[in-house]
Amino acid sequence: MICEIKKQSGVAFLLNKGQRLKVIDPKGEQVSDMVLFNLEDSREKLSSGKTLDFEENLLITTGNFLWSNRSNKMMKIIEDTNGRNDFLLAPCSPETFQIMYDNPDYHPSCFENLYVSLKEHGIEKDDIPTAFNIFMNVQWDMQGNLSVEAPLSKGGDYMILEAQMNLIVALTACSAEDSNNGSFKPIHYEILNQ
Amino acid sequence: MICEIKKQSGVAFLLNKGQRLKVIDPKGEQVSDMVLFNLEDSREKLSSGKTLDFEENLLITTGNFLWSNRSNKMMKIIEDTNGRNDFLLAPCSPETFQIMYDNPDYHPSCFENLYVSLKEHGIEKDDIPTAFNIFMNVQWDMQGNLSVEAPLSKGGDYMILEAQMNLIVALTACSAEDSNNGSFKPIHYEILNQ
C-alpha cells in the first residue's frame, strides 16, 4: 500500500528489522528528510557523524549503511534510482527561514514536521538529530563551499532501505523552497514485507 | 594559565559568555575534539548539521560560528592559525577501533574521554553530539570520498574561540592513530578573560 505524505508535512511509523521501506518522489524534484530511532531505546538514533565516518563518503547511496550514535547499523540502502542525497545539513527549521530566507513569518519546516510526528513516540524537539535528506542535492567544491541545488530526482525515482533493527522512522515532504526548486510536492512511501 | 590535556585524555570546564578559549597544538599534528552544551540547559548542544547549514561551508575556520541544535550561536572562531578543521566525523569511539582499525582490544577514544569528563555535568554517553574536530585534516574529493590525513598543524598553531553563551566545554587530545599521524601528543588550552 502506497501512502502519501502531503506537501510540507511529515509522518512517523514503526519498521521492523528486515522490513523494507520504499521512499518515492512521485513528481520529481522533491526532498524527504528522514530520522531514525531504535524502537527499544530511542536514545539510540541516527548519526550523520558516525555514518560519514564508517562509510567514508559524503554521498550516501546504494550499498551504504545508516549508522546510529552507538555505532550500530540502522538501515541499509538496497536501491537508489536517483543517487544524490544529503547527510550534511540539519532539517529546515523555523530559524532556517528567519536566518537564511530572511522571512520573519511562520513557515512550515521539516524540523517541526519531524518533532510533531514523533511526539506520540515520546521523542522531543531536542532529540531530533541531523536528518538523512533523501533526494536532496547539496553540492560542494574543493574549498568546501556548500550550495543547495534543485534535486536531480525525476518523477518515480525511489530509494529502498532495509531496517537493520526495529525502528521508529519519521519522514517528511520537505518544506524549504531551496531544497525542492521552489515548489512543494508530496512524497510517497511504502512498507515492503519481505 | 595554560593547562595541559595529556595524550589520549580529555577535560570538561565552564566558559562564560564573552570569555575566549585558546586551543593550542603544542607539538604539531595533533587533533582536539570539542563538544559544547548550554550551561543553563544542556539539552541545547553543538550541532554539525546546523553549523554546516548556516555557515555554508565544510571548512569551519576564522569568522565562522559554531551553532546549536536550537539554531543559536555557541562560539565564534576569532583566530585559527592552521585553518584546517573537521566537522564531518564523529569522535573516535571504542567501535571505531573495532570496525575501522580491526582492533578488538581496549583502546582509549575521544568519545570515552568526552563522556567521562562530562559525567559530573549530568551529561550522558548518548548526549554526545558529533564533535568539532580542531586541527583534524579530513580531505574530500568531488565524488565525496573522505580520507583522514595527518594534521597540517605545526607546533604552536592555535585557535581562539569566543563563547556566545554560558557553556560547558569538553576537549580532548585525540586518541586515534589516523587523526594525528600515529603519535599521541597532548593539547594545551587557555581561558582568556577579555
Side-chain angles (χ1 to χ4, degrees):
Chain A
M1 191 189 63
I2 295 181
C3 304
E4 175 163 297
I5 307 172
K6 293 198 189 308
K7 63 175 185 173
Q8 297 188 301
S9 74
V11 68
F13 52 87
L14 305 186
L15 193 71
N16 292 327
K17 182 176 175 174
Q19 281 188 314
R20 291 182 174 188
L21 170 68
K22 185 174 182 179
V23 181
I24 306 151
D25 181 356
K27 299 193 173 174
E29 294 192 337
Q30 176 57 311
V31 166
S32 181
D33 284 15
M34 182 175 75
V35 293
L36 306 171
F37 297 84
N38 177 346
L39 176 63
E40 273 79 37
D41 181 352
S42 65
R43 289 173 304 175
E44 178 166 17
K45 59 187 174 189
L46 185 63
S47 166
S48 60
K50 278 293 176 195
T51 301
L52 298 179
D53 195 12
F54 290 141
E55 300 299 324
E56 299 179 277
N57 206 302
L58 293 174
L59 260 189
I60 302 299
T61 180
T62 307
N64 290 125
F65 289 92
L66 301 179
W67 294 77
S68 78
N69 59 331
R70 295 185 189 165
S71 298
N72 293 313
K73 293 172 179 171
M74 302 191 92
M75 274 185 163
K76 180 177 183 178
I77 303 178
I78 304 296
E79 204 181 340
D80 178 10
T81 63
N82 174 49
R84 188 93 203 176
N85 310 292
D86 170 65
F87 211 177
L88 297 171
L89 306 187
C92 61
S93 66
E95 300 81 7
T96 308
F97 298 99
Q98 290 158 20
I99 295 170
M100 304 193 77
Y101 290 72
D102 204 21
N103 173 3
D105 301 323
Y106 173 77
H107 194 296
S109 67
C110 284
F111 183 68
E112 181 184 2
N113 288 327
L114 290 169
Y115 77 72
V116 168
S117 304
L118 286 161
K119 232 178 233 171
E120 61 175 313
H121 299 285
I123 292 161
E124 294 180 2
K125 243 184 194 185
D126 287 321
D127 301 328
I128 307 289
T130 294
F132 179 53
N133 305 310
I134 300 170
F135 310 128
M136 188 171 180
N137 180 13
V138 175
Q139 297 286 336
W140 57 82
D141 65 20
M142 292 309 291
Q143 287 67 50
N145 295 296
L146 295 173
S147 59
V148 178
E149 310 287 346
L152 302 170
S153 51
K154 295 182 178 46
D157 269 327
Y158 64 87
M159 178 183 286
I160 296 176
L161 308 108
E162 187 179 85
Q164 309 294 300
M165 60 172 72
N166 295 332
L167 293 170
I168 304 164
V169 178
L171 268 184
T172 69
C174 184
S175 299
E177 284 81 347
D178 281 358
S179 301
N180 50 31
N181 208 13
S183 80
F184 306 116
K185 283 161 287 194
I187 284 286
H188 290 173
Y189 71 97
E190 193 176 0
I191 296 175
L192 311 169
N193 288 298
Q194 290 289 81
Chain B
M1 190 188 64
I2 296 181
C3 304
E4 176 163 295
I5 307 172
K6 293 198 190 307
K7 64 175 184 174
Q8 297 188 300
S9 75
V11 68
F13 53 87
L14 305 186
L15 193 72
N16 292 327
K17 183 176 174 172
Q19 281 188 314
R20 290 182 174 189
L21 170 68
K22 186 174 182 178
V23 181
I24 307 151
D25 181 357
K27 300 192 172 174
E29 293 192 337
Q30 176 57 311
V31 166
S32 181
D33 284 14
M34 182 174 76
V35 292
L36 306 172
F37 297 84
N38 177 346
L39 176 63
E40 273 79 39
D41 181 353
S42 66
R43 289 173 303 175
E44 179 167 14
K45 59 187 173 187
L46 185 63
S47 167
S48 59
K50 278 294 174 195
T51 301
L52 298 179
D53 196 12
F54 289 141
E55 300 299 325
E56 299 179 277
N57 205 302
L58 293 173
L59 261 188
I60 302 298
T61 180
T62 308
N64 290 125
F65 289 92
L66 302 179
W67 295 77
S68 79
N69 59 331
R70 294 186 190 165
S71 298
N72 293 313
K73 293 172 179 171
M74 302 192 92
M75 274 184 162
K76 181 179 183 176
I77 302 179
I78 304 295
E79 205 181 339
D80 178 10
T81 63
N82 175 49
R84 189 93 201 174
N85 310 292
D86 171 64
F87 211 176
L88 297 170
L89 306 188
C92 62
S93 66
E95 299 82 7
T96 308
F97 298 100
Q98 291 157 22
I99 295 170
M100 304 194 78
Y101 289 73
D102 203 21
N103 173 4
D105 301 325
Y106 173 78
H107 193 296
S109 67
C110 284
F111 184 68
E112 181 184 3
N113 288 327
L114 291 170
Y115 78 72
V116 168
S117 304
L118 286 163
K119 235 178 232 171
E120 63 175 309
H121 299 284
I123 291 160
E124 296 180 1
K125 242 184 195 184
D126 287 321
D127 300 328
I128 308 289
T130 295
F132 179 55
N133 305 310
I134 300 170
F135 310 129
M136 188 170 182
N137 180 13
V138 175
Q139 297 287 336
W140 56 83
D141 65 20
M142 292 308 291
Q143 286 68 51
N145 295 293
L146 295 173
S147 60
V148 179
E149 309 286 345
L152 301 170
S153 50
K154 295 181 177 49
D157 269 327
Y158 63 86
M159 179 183 287
I160 296 177
L161 308 109
E162 187 178 85
Q164 309 295 300
M165 61 172 73
N166 295 331
L167 292 170
I168 305 164
V169 179
L171 267 184
T172 69
C174 184
S175 298
E177 284 81 347
D178 281 357
S179 301
N180 51 32
N181 207 13
S183 80
F184 305 116
K185 284 161 287 194
I187 284 287
H188 290 174
Y189 71 97
E190 193 177 359
I191 295 175
L192 311 169
N193 288 299
Q194 291 289 78

